Amino acid sequence: MRGSLAVAFVAVLAVLTVHAVTQQKLTPEPMRIDKVKDNLYVVRGPFNACAPNGCGANSVDDGLLHEAGDVAVRVTPDGVIVVDDKFAPNVPDVLEKVKSITTQPIKYLLNTHHHTDHIGGNGEILNRGIEVIAHRNIRDNIIKNKQPGPPRIVFNDQASVYLGGVEVQMMYLGRGHTNGDTVIYFPDLRTVHSGDLVIDGMPVIDYNNGGSALEFVKTLNNLLKIDFDIVIPGHGRLLTKDDVRAYVPKLETMNKRMAELVKNRVTKDQLEKQLTLDDLGWAHTVSTLTFMRSIGQYYDEVAAAMK
Ligand SMILES: [Zn+2]
């Protein structure tokens, strides 16, 4: 999954859970901005009937609503810090949404990971003179995948932005969805933006960009050590710390099931049928569809760890 395939991989994550899939008709909705806490907002949508960004000639209508990565907006008296910027064509709309809640200018744009539905707007943001900050692996992935807008400022483990008396932390807690997943922490508001480490759906593992189902568990346990109560996930409704706590044993269960399939020498073409996800609440969602594309690599990772 190189180049265009890698981009396609990242473009189909969506907000939907099994609840929404059971609805008969799904109505596309425009982008919107919602308050999370005082001085913190989330920009969600647009919710499209096709991936990745509207119903174009090559897009897939799978009957599910697809949402570009969710954007966090932190307002301070000296300017705004924004997390992620969706697809490039979404940037003007994102900037309008920010303007609708504050007259302060955007000073910094922080990236959660390199996928195009989250940071496809980086080039547009840099062109507007806003500085982009990201983990070194995110920058490496952006360059490897020939995406626009590699950040000019990178860090290895942790970075902080201080603005208007507010600290916003960028924390690298280990591999999971990719090898660059960065948790953005708003300590005074006890809130994190988790990128796609935690979404309102099943986790997706991008093996071509350093993702790991086995490391994912450790990374989520590291996340749980942080003092927060609300999660802005990469996609979907706001979650709580308890939602993250519940995510971990599900992932462990899935990993154990995959280990059983490896032990029983189930062939790769049978994996999708044999890996049970229904009781975890993870079957039949958009992220399930995305997850299944890398199920062979998931098998390989688990098999290698058993040797
Ligand atoms: Zn992603």
Side-chain angles (χ1 to χ4, degrees), residues 34-160:
D34 300 328
K35 185 174 175 179
V36 178
K37 290 187 177 178
D38 283 348
N39 300 313
L40 181 64
Y41 298 81
V42 59
V43 181
R44 298 199 53 202
F47 302 88
N48 292 317
C50 307
N53 192 25
C55 298
N58 298 316
S59 54
V60 182
D61 183 356
D62 50 21
L64 304 172
L65 286 182
H66 297 254
E67 180 195 15
D70 291 343
V71 166
V73 180
R74 179 67 212 257
V75 180
T76 86
D78 291 339
V80 180
I81 301 165
V82 174
V83 180
D84 287 350
D85 45 44
K86 300 183 185 278
F87 293 104
N90 297 138
V91 168
D93 206 3
V94 170
L95 298 180
E96 278 304 309
K97 292 288 174 286
V98 174
K99 267 190 199 157
S100 73
I101 49 115
T102 179
T103 54
Q104 288 288 340
I106 300 172
K107 293 281 180 71
Y108 300 99
L109 191 298
L110 318 182
N111 290 164
T112 63
H113 64 297
H114 75 283
H115 286 157
T116 308
D117 54 334
H118 295 263
I119 60 91
N122 271 8
E124 303 285 326
I125 292 292
L126 285 166
N127 285 343
R128 286 165 167 84
I130 301 163
E131 206 55 75
V132 176
I133 308 174
H135 189 271
R136 180 177 294 280
N137 291 351
I138 297 178
R139 185 175 196 278
D140 289 348
N141 287 337
I142 286 173
I143 290 168
K144 182 183 79 173
N145 294 302
K146 298 184 171 55
Q147 296 166 264
R152 289 186 285 235
I153 300 173
V154 299
F155 64 93
N156 289 333
D157 299 312
Q158 191 163 343
S160 281

Side-chain angles (χ1 to χ4, degrees), residues 243-263:
D243 290 324
V244 182
R245 280 195 193 98
Y247 216 66
V248 178
K250 288 181 185 182
L251 190 48
E252 286 174 320
T253 299
M254 187 173 75
N255 287 345
K256 274 184 204 144
R257 285 175 183 173
M258 180 55 89
E260 278 298 305
L261 297 181
V262 171
K263 212 170 90 185

